[in-house]
Amino acid sequence: MSNIKTKLKTLSSTQIIFAAAVILAGGFNEYISCLIGVVCGITLIIKLIKNRGMTLFVNPVTVSAAIILLGYLVTVFYAVDSGAAFIGFLKFLPIPLFMLLLIQENSGEKLVSSVPYVALVTGLVSLALMYIPVFDGVFSVAGRLAGTFQYPNTFAMLLLVGILVLISKSKLSVADIVIAAILFALIIMTGSRAVFVLTVLSVLVILFFRKGIKIKLIISITFVVIIALVLILYPVLKDNELFGRFFSLSIGESTFAGRLLYWSDALPLVFKNPFGLGYMGHYYMQQSIQTGVYSVKYIHNDLLQLLLDVGWVPFVGAVTAFVFSLFSKKTSTASKIILITLFAHALFDFDMQFTAMAFVLLPFTAFSGGKELFVKKGNPITVCGVGILGVLSLYFCIALSLSGFSLYSASKAMYSPNTEADIALMIQSDDIEEQNSIANEILKRNKYVSIAYSAKANCAFYNGEMDKVFKYKRKVIKLAPFETDEYKDYCNKLVEAINMYIESDQIDDARICAAELVDTRDKLKNLPKKQSYFGKVIIDQPDIKLSNEMEKYIENIQ
């Protein structure tokens, strides 16, 4: 017991903050990131006072972190959605603050050493809880272990880093090998095929560089036995929803085609917007540029996401920091292998949207070294700057958490340019005029929210203003061509308008609506022409079929 207490006393603040971030959904939600920012800020101020100042390093890694954060702040002035852009700045604020803490404590190695144990505990606890009905869907996704992150792929990466840290130790114990084997088994439970492949490759590379034949054999045999067991049990496991994933990998069945679709659609935006779209900018523009049926908040490629969010300058900074870390003499061979592994997976997912994973990445980079500066605690810019950022983070933690818990009105009262809260309030409202009012407010700051135009079309239809219905519904279809329900809703409105005009003997107006109905039907039928190759390969396809009644009605009016 005394040994445990001693170990707890020696924990660094970065280890505690990292463990908390992992437990708190990996720091994925914006309000959780803000909370972590508050904790980092307070801890940094305490360190500043205690150490009578703050140590800073100027090198490509620290400069890159500063440029990326500044990039998120600058986009507020021209982003697709300025309100969301500022939230993005606060979401990524904890990362450079955490880096500063690592520098003050010189605790990079201690943080790395804690990764396997944090991954093990959260993995095993999540595995146990996912089979309890009350936690159904909390720690798992479609039967796959998702851990505290509630996302299997990125949680699998945390487990993989834990394995690599363990087998990279100069002296391996039996406990280390057992824990590594458990973490590998947990990776299999996540159902992440990409991480499984990365595990095999990265473990082989680390074994190649390890000294000692005996240790190499023990680790190799352990992993081979686990893989052999899975292969032996193939006849039983192949039809299992989780394990069957590992035996059915192809472009059509996997999510790889979807990834290629997201990237091919997004690439033109990168060149048209060299300074980025701001946080969530691509998400809001997505419907207007997509060539297939999908909806993703993040592009499933962290480097491409960085380009979309803040543009080329921070992107170049990030790549420079990565290359600098790879070739730095201060970076060990094991750290380089882990860094490359993290980088490789980040090219196919959104790991860095999880604050905890960004914390994992930092100690493997060459963030220390270079020109050293010491800022004295009396420097008002330092203290006030950290203090202001801490207060901002606390305020937005409350505002965004209210939205996270569906208290949208309260959240909006604290932060009015919260587009997601506005959209939720608009959907919830039963008052069509209120919906129209909220839609107007949304469109003042973000012209890409198609559902806002749909709300305005509903209000115009309610008021009998068919010219406005035409205007707004055409806008909806232009912004969101693959939202097929919008076509069908428009067709229903046009049929109702045609019948009303005929009843009131307004034949010319009925003909205008009839022509619009035929045109809308044709746009829906021609939707496959807008699909790219990858848009046609993925499972989700546009539903372009109208009801039999609607088809007959259109035939009769032609």
Side-chain angles (χ1 to χ4, degrees):
M1 182 66 102
S2 59
N3 189 35
I4 295 174
K5 287 182 178 179
T6 304
K7 286 186 177 180
L8 287 173
K9 286 181 181 179
T10 59
L11 287 175
S12 66
S13 59
T14 51
Q15 286 176 296
I16 296 169
I17 293 170
F18 163 66
V22 170
I23 294 168
L24 296 172
F28 179 75
N29 305 92
E30 289 93 348
Y31 65 89
I32 294 176
S33 291
C34 287
L35 177 61
I36 296 169
V38 172
V39 175
C40 287
I42 292 171
T43 309
L44 201 55
I45 290 173
I46 292 170
K47 296 288 181 185
L48 181 70
I49 296 169
K50 185 179 178 181
N51 299 336
R52 299 187 177 185
M54 182 188 299
T55 301
L56 302 174
F57 289 115
V58 180
N59 58 56
V61 178
T62 57
V63 171
S64 171
I67 290 173
I68 291 171
L69 185 65
L70 184 62
Y72 276 100
L73 182 60
V74 170
T75 57
V76 171
F77 298 101
Y78 57 83
V80 170
D81 191 301
S82 57
F86 189 68
I87 292 173
F89 166 72
L90 293 173
K91 176 179 172 66
F92 293 101
L93 174 62
I95 300 170
L97 293 180
F98 191 80
M99 183 187 290
L100 286 173
L101 280 174
L102 286 172
I103 293 171
Q104 309 319 305
E105 296 182 339
N106 192 23
S107 58
E109 289 185 8
K110 291 182 74 173
L111 175 62
V112 169
S113 68
S114 66
V115 172
Y117 307 106
V118 173
L120 177 69
V121 172
T122 53
L124 289 176
V125 171
S126 299
L127 182 64
L129 294 177
M130 70 181 277
Y131 292 107
I132 299 175
V134 71
F135 294 111
D136 183 43
V138 177
F139 298 100
S140 63
V141 174
R144 299 168 60 191
L145 175 66
T148 51
F149 289 12
Q150 299 182 328
Y151 185 61
N153 295 343
T154 301
F155 189 69
M157 271 308 296
L158 176 67
L159 299 170
L160 172 53
V161 174
I163 291 174
L164 299 181
V165 168
L166 285 172
I167 66 173
S168 300
K169 292 169 72 172
S170 56
K171 292 183 179 180
L172 271 173
S173 65
V174 174
D176 291 329
I177 296 173
V178 171
I179 292 171
I182 294 171
L183 292 175
F184 185 51
L186 289 171
I187 287 175
I188 294 174
M189 291 299 297
T190 66
S192 178
R193 292 169 290 196
V195 177
F196 179 82
V197 172
L198 279 174
T199 302
V200 175
L201 294 176
S202 55
V203 167
L204 287 174
V205 173
I206 283 185
L207 286 179
F208 177 79
F209 286 101
R210 270 201 71 94
K211 293 179 180 179
I213 298 296
K214 185 179 178 181
I215 291 298
K216 287 184 178 183
L217 284 172
I218 292 172
I219 296 173
S220 299
I221 291 169
T222 301
F223 282 90
V224 167
V225 167
I226 294 173
I227 294 171
L229 282 172
V230 173
L231 292 174
I232 290 168
L233 293 170
Y234 168 68
V236 178
L237 299 176
K238 66 177 181 179
D239 295 324
N240 180 274
E241 186 177 3
L242 171 63
F243 295 103
R245 288 175 54 82
F246 295 101
F247 304 111
S248 60
L249 181 60
S250 71
I251 292 264
E253 293 173 339
S254 73
T255 55
F256 186 59
R259 301 271 199 287
L260 294 174
L261 174 61
Y262 312 153
W263 303 341
S264 60
D265 284 349
L267 273 175
L269 293 178
V270 168
F271 297 103
K272 290 178 182 177
N273 303 274
F275 298 104
L277 303 167
Y279 181 65
M280 295 282 283
H282 167 262
Y283 171 71
Y284 289 120
M285 286 190 71
Q286 182 183 115
Q287 290 182 316
S288 64
I289 52 95
Q290 65 189 146
T291 59
V293 179
Y294 64 90
S295 178
V296 289
K297 188 174 182 180
Y298 303 110
I299 200 71
H300 289 265
N301 182 319
D302 279 321
L303 278 184
L304 184 52
Q305 189 71 58
L306 190 64
L307 276 167
L308 289 166
D309 285 356
V310 290
W312 285 93
V313 174
F315 169 81
V316 171
V319 173
T320 303
F322 172 72
V323 174
F324 173 76
S325 297
L326 279 185
F327 289 95
S328 173
K329 293 180 180 179
K330 288 191 173 185
T331 311
S332 67
T333 301
S335 291
K336 289 176 182 179
I337 294 168
I338 296 171
L339 187 61
I340 291 170
T341 305
L342 283 165
F343 181 82
H345 192 260
L347 292 177
F348 294 91
D349 233 308
F350 48 91
D351 297 339
M352 293 305 113
Q353 298 298 327
F354 292 83
T355 306
M357 288 306 294
F359 290 172
V360 169
L361 173 71
L362 289 176
F364 297 110
T365 64
F367 68 89
S368 61
K371 185 177 180 180
E372 184 174 343
L373 303 173
F374 186 78
V375 182
K376 294 181 179 180
K377 72 173 183 178
N379 188 316
I381 296 175
T382 307
V383 178
C384 292
V386 176
I388 290 169
L389 291 174
V391 171
L392 266 176
S393 294
L394 178 60
Y395 182 86
F396 276 85
C397 172
I398 297 169
L400 297 176
S401 64
L402 289 170
S403 185
F405 290 102
S406 302
L407 299 171
Y408 302 113
S409 295
S411 177
K412 183 173 167 55
M414 291 189 71
Y415 186 57
S416 58
N418 187 340
T419 301
E420 290 301 293
D422 273 333
I423 291 172
L425 287 170
M426 184 174 67
I427 293 171
Q428 286 180 355
S429 177
D430 294 325
D431 187 329
I432 203 160
E433 293 294 343
E434 184 182 23
Q435 288 179 357
N436 186 60
S437 177
I438 296 172
N440 286 333
E441 191 173 339
I442 291 171
L443 294 171
K444 282 179 183 177
R445 62 175 176 272
N446 187 337
K447 62 182 180 180
Y448 289 97
V449 183
S450 62
I451 195 172
Y453 287 107
S454 187
K456 290 184 69 61
N458 289 338
C459 184
F461 185 74
Y462 178 79
N463 293 323
E465 301 171 307
M466 285 306 296
D467 55 332
K468 290 184 178 180
V469 175
F470 294 163
K471 175 184 175 182
Y472 296 131
K473 275 297 185 181
R474 287 170 184 169
K475 188 71 173 178
V476 171
I477 291 171
K478 182 181 178 181
L479 283 177
F482 285 91
E483 286 292 323
T484 55
D485 286 343
E486 289 289 351
Y487 294 83
K488 295 170 186 178
D489 176 68
Y490 191 21
C491 287
N492 289 331
K493 283 181 168 59
L494 288 168
V495 168
E496 191 173 335
I498 291 168
N499 293 337
M500 288 176 62
Y501 283 136
I502 291 173
E503 286 178 10
S504 57
D505 203 28
Q506 294 175 270
I507 305 303
D508 289 341
D509 290 330
R511 284 173 179 163
I512 293 171
C513 289
E516 185 73 8
L517 177 59
V518 172
D519 183 59
T520 303
R521 188 273 312 270
D522 292 343
K523 285 179 180 176
L524 180 62
K525 296 298 181 184
N526 291 326
L527 200 52
K529 294 180 180 179
K530 290 180 175 287
Q531 289 179 277
S532 63
Y533 168 76
F534 295 116
K536 293 175 181 177
V537 168
I538 60 172
I539 294 172
D540 293 326
Q541 295 296 312
D543 178 15
I544 61 173
K545 188 176 181 181
L546 292 170
S547 66
N548 292 332
E549 292 79 7
M550 182 63 71
E551 290 285 7
K552 288 178 182 178
Y553 186 92
I554 294 173
E555 285 177 15
N556 290 333
I557 64 171
Q558 282 184 298

